[in-house]
Amino acid sequence: MNPITPKVLYQEANPYGSFTAFLEDDGRTIYLYLQSHNNPEWPMKTLWVRNLIDAPDARIEEDFDLGLAPVLTKSEITDPKAQTSLTEDQIHFIWSEEGDAVALFVDEELQAYLPSWSGIKGIHGYAKFAKEEAPTASPLGDPDNGVIAERVNGNRKYWESVAKKDHWKKAQSLRLDFLESKLGKHETYWSADGGKYPSLGIASFLPKEYAGIKIFSTVGMSVQNQPSIELYHKDYENFSRIELVFAIQLLKDAPDKSETWIQHVLGEMVKFPWNTGIWFGHSHTIQNPRKDPDQLYLDFNWFVFRNITDELDQGSNEVLPKLNGLITENGKRANFLFLTPISTEERICFMREGSQKFWETWKKEGYTFFHDSERRMLEF
């Protein structure tokens, strides 16, 4: 096979439809690649799987000039002899729960793992036939035991669990029951998944405890971990599962316009982490895709997220909806992130002064967890 005309042996999109992994044979090597469909800033990930030619003693410099995938050398692999290519019926992928990592099985044996941290600090991933750290692969170790094997087995069990017929019904009930125990019976429920995995909804509430406040919450985001958070958060397991919440103060003596835009805001964000590989967390900001029809003094072009769950767990004495205590299917908490609308000018101050200063100013001005369409600019 001419190395300049590589052949894709197998390709598959993750269950979220947001990343595709494919195995490519260029006549010299087989590599595993992972690419994003929706995030142009997400670099393609690569991992060597095996050589299809006898391993050279040293790197072939001309390969780099031609833009070819590196062939690993004799010292870097377990067997220097050429291996055979693969057929589609031999190949099986198991995706990570987050959808941004993938394990390659060949004839039911784990032979490669391309993790979410591929491309960071020189790590591309882990391959069965890698003997030592190489430019595009690291040793996999025992394919049946150890950290990577446990991680892959955990992912397998996750996908088996969500494939069960009654999984969504149970997951939906767990979250709605919790929300209703805190906010009262829900007023309206919308499906928010467009008929595609994962199953998601949005519910609205008019809690008696907060007269004049309407609260919207996603239902189902916390069924699966967010992608990439592991790379940035030390205690990531306690922050990986989220629901988004929008609380708004309804205007007196005016029609309620909240349902003309808020559930659409949540609906446009509900799959964002899995579609892009970007996670949501406390003090992250994101553009507001909709206009508040009741805004008076400010254009609320941005949101900043506020993790009410973590604040409550840390002992906050502020009067907040008691949205903490929901334990998800993996034994970790669900974090309820409140969307706080801010203007472009306020976001500039937020980025310049930092999140701590922003929240101190926010609370000093007497603002709290709900959105006031008629509020004025924060003064830093």
Side-chain angles (χ1 to χ4, degrees), residues 249-267:
Q249 179 175 273
L250 301 178
L251 301 182
K252 294 179 181 179
D253 304 318
D256 175 6
K257 299 177 186 175
S258 62
E259 293 187 9
T260 67
W261 69 290
I262 294 176
Q263 81 268 27
H264 298 293
V265 166
L266 294 175

Side-chain angles (χ1 to χ4, degrees), residues 30-61:
I30 293 179
Y31 269 76
L32 175 62
Y33 296 91
L34 181 63
Q35 64 181 6
S36 170
H37 295 183
N38 307 311
N39 186 351
E41 296 182 3
W42 202 90
M44 181 179 286
K45 309 295 179 71
T46 64
L47 172 62
W48 174 90
V49 174
R50 60 175 62 183
N51 283 350
L52 301 179
I53 60 173
D54 291 346
D57 292 321
R59 199 84 56 221
I60 303 170
E61 295 300 325

Side-chain angles (χ1 to χ4, degrees), residues 159-218:
W159 293 115
E160 289 172 350
S161 71
V162 299
K164 292 179 180 177
K165 191 174 181 179
D166 62 347
H167 176 267
W168 171 236
K169 184 177 179 180
K170 289 181 177 179
Q172 182 188 50
S173 294
L174 174 67
R175 288 152 181 83
L176 266 181
D177 289 350
F178 173 82
L179 287 164
E180 291 185 338
S181 73
K182 305 294 185 178
L183 304 174
K185 187 73 175 174
H186 73 274
E187 297 287 319
T188 312
Y189 183 89
W190 300 268
S191 175
D193 50 43
K196 297 181 180 179
Y197 183 85
S199 298
L200 296 159
I202 299 167
S204 68
F205 303 84
L206 288 169
K208 293 179 181 178
E209 187 177 352
Y210 303 103
I213 307 299
K214 192 169 186 177
I215 298 179
F216 296 75
S217 177
T218 62

Side-chain angles (χ1 to χ4, degrees), residues 6-13 19-25 30-37 44-47 49 91 93 95 102 104 114:
K7 175 185 176 183
V8 174
L9 301 173
Y10 181 74
Q11 70 177 24
E12 179 180 296
F19 290 85
T20 290
F22 59 95
L23 275 179
E24 189 172 87
D25 172 341
I30 293 179
Y31 269 76
L32 175 62
Y33 296 91
L34 181 63
Q35 64 181 6
S36 170
H37 295 183
M44 181 179 286
K45 309 295 179 71
T46 64
L47 172 62
V49 174
I91 301 163
F93 289 163
W95 290 91
V102 65
L104 164 66
L114 196 158

